[in-house]
């Protein structure tokens, strides 16, 4: 059983650029969530995808968008990068079953630096 | 909206000392509760979780947590810490709304265990 993987590990962009981060879910999981973790803070929920549809969104602007693919891998896209977007971006996958609570398993994250 | 408070931001203990990390949440409904740990250089790992049933839950590496509904608390404990427990600890809550698992995290507690 493979865990959650993310790519790239590190990324440096300049203000105004666009970035795409990628995530491969743990085998058998059908739900993926993305979080932003600023330095010294806990992770903040960006959004969640279930069966390729957005299933909840946190307090992030529309320039943060995502996709989930049929194989349950996922992308996080951020347009018009701002300095404050510099953070560790975490992907978490889980198996959402009807009527049951699910547990999220996290990947190692992508460290994004915006200059 | 739900929120999570972790009262201790930095804790320094000697090996064999007892540990208790506080976590309080604000949400009036049914919740799922989690403690995650992030060891230096590693990704977030699940330490333990509470969904229902016995409010005293046991996790990996000798950790346990007690859910006290009347106090909206889910404190983490370990009777005797080891140097290898040095890590950052995050409490997280998910409001059980039936719409999937969207975690709200506390700001984390940095634990340093000295030899």
């Amino acid at each position: 059983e493979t865990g959650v993987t993310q790519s790239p590990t590190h990324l440096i962009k300049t203000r105004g650029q666009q970035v795409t981060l990628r995530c491969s879910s743990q085998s058998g999981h059908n739900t993926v969530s993305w979080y932003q973790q600023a330095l010294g803070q806990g992770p903040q929920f960006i959004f969640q995808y279930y069966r390729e549809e957005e299933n909840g969104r946190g307090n992030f602007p529309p320039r943060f968008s995502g996709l989930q693919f049929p194989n349950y891998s996922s992308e996080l896209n951020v347009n018009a990068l701002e300095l404050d977007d510099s953070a560790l971006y975490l992907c978490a996958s889980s198996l959402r079953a009807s009527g049951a609570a699910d547990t999220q398993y996290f990947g190692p994250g992508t460290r994004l630096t915006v200059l | 909206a739900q929120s999570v408070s972790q009262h201790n931001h930095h804790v320094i203990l000697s090996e064999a000392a007892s540990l208790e990390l506080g976590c309080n949440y604000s949400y009036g409904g049914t919740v799922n509760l989690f403690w995650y740990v992030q060891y230096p250089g590693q990704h977030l790992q699940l330490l333990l979780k509470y969904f229902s049933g016995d409010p005293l839950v046991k996790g990996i590496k000798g950790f346990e947590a007690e859910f006290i509904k009347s106090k909206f608390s889910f404190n983490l404990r370990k009777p005797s810490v080891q140097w290898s427990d040095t890590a950052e600890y995050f409490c997280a809550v998910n409001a059980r709304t039936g719409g999937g698992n969207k975690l709200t995290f506390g700001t984390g507690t940095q634990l340093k265990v000295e030899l």
Side-chain angles (χ1 to χ4, degrees):
Chain A
E1 181 181 277
T2 56
V4 179
T5 60
Q6 292 185 242
S7 63
T9 306
H10 295 88
L11 203 51
I12 299 174
K13 291 285 189 178
T14 56
R15 197 170 48 182
Q17 284 189 311
Q18 177 267 342
V19 69
T20 297
L21 310 181
R22 293 179 174 83
C23 171
S24 290
S25 297
Q26 185 167 313
S27 177
H29 285 182
N30 57 14
T31 303
V32 64
S33 304
W34 285 91
Y35 294 82
Q36 181 196 66
Q37 186 177 14
L39 206 58
Q41 301 295 318
Q44 280 197 295
F45 175 73
I46 303 175
F47 44 56
Q48 182 179 87
Y49 279 82
Y50 171 63
R51 292 185 176 176
E52 302 177 55
E53 290 193 0
E54 189 177 289
N55 178 46
R57 189 178 184 91
N59 190 27
F60 281 82
R63 58 190 185 83
F64 285 77
S65 63
L67 285 172
Q68 185 185 31
F69 300 101
N71 65 355
Y72 302 123
S73 65
S74 176
E75 286 182 356
L76 165 65
N77 298 289
V78 187
N79 294 322
L81 283 168
E82 301 177 0
L83 297 179
D84 284 348
D85 295 335
S86 295
L88 181 68
Y89 288 85
L90 299 170
C91 169
S93 75
S94 57
L95 175 61
R96 181 176 163 185
S98 175
D102 55 322
T103 300
Q104 293 185 7
Y105 297 90
F106 285 80
T110 294
R111 173 72 63 187
L112 172 65
T113 301
V114 182
L115 302 175
Chain B
Q2 58 205 34
S3 65
V4 178
S5 296
Q6 291 184 243
H7 315 296
N8 315 101
H9 297 294
H10 292 90
V11 174
I12 300 174
L13 294 172
S14 299
E15 265 204 329
S18 64
L19 170 72
E20 181 159 1
L21 300 182
C23 173
N24 286 90
Y25 66 93
S26 68
Y27 182 72
T30 305
V31 292
N32 300 320
L33 297 157
F34 305 82
W35 276 96
Y36 284 87
V37 60
Q38 190 165 29
Y39 297 103
Q42 298 186 28
H43 60 277
L44 273 172
Q45 301 173 37
L46 181 68
L47 201 53
L48 48 77
K49 62 187 177 184
Y50 172 79
F51 285 174
S52 63
D54 188 345
L56 183 63
V57 293
K58 295 190 183 300
I60 60 172
K61 303 185 179 184
F63 286 90
E64 64 179 31
E66 184 175 12
F67 170 50
I68 303 180
K69 189 175 180 180
S70 61
K71 294 184 178 180
F72 298 90
S73 70
F74 190 55
N75 293 352
L76 181 71
R77 300 194 292 248
K78 185 171 183 179
S80 176
V81 295
Q82 300 174 309
W83 178 81
S84 58
D85 293 325
T86 294
E88 189 155 22
Y89 293 80
F90 293 94
C91 180
V93 61
N94 166 55
R96 201 186 303 171
T97 60
N101 194 349
K102 307 166 188 78
L103 296 173
T104 298
F105 283 84
T107 53
T109 296
Q110 187 68 54
L111 171 67
K112 182 179 179 182
V113 179
E114 296 179 330
L115 295 171

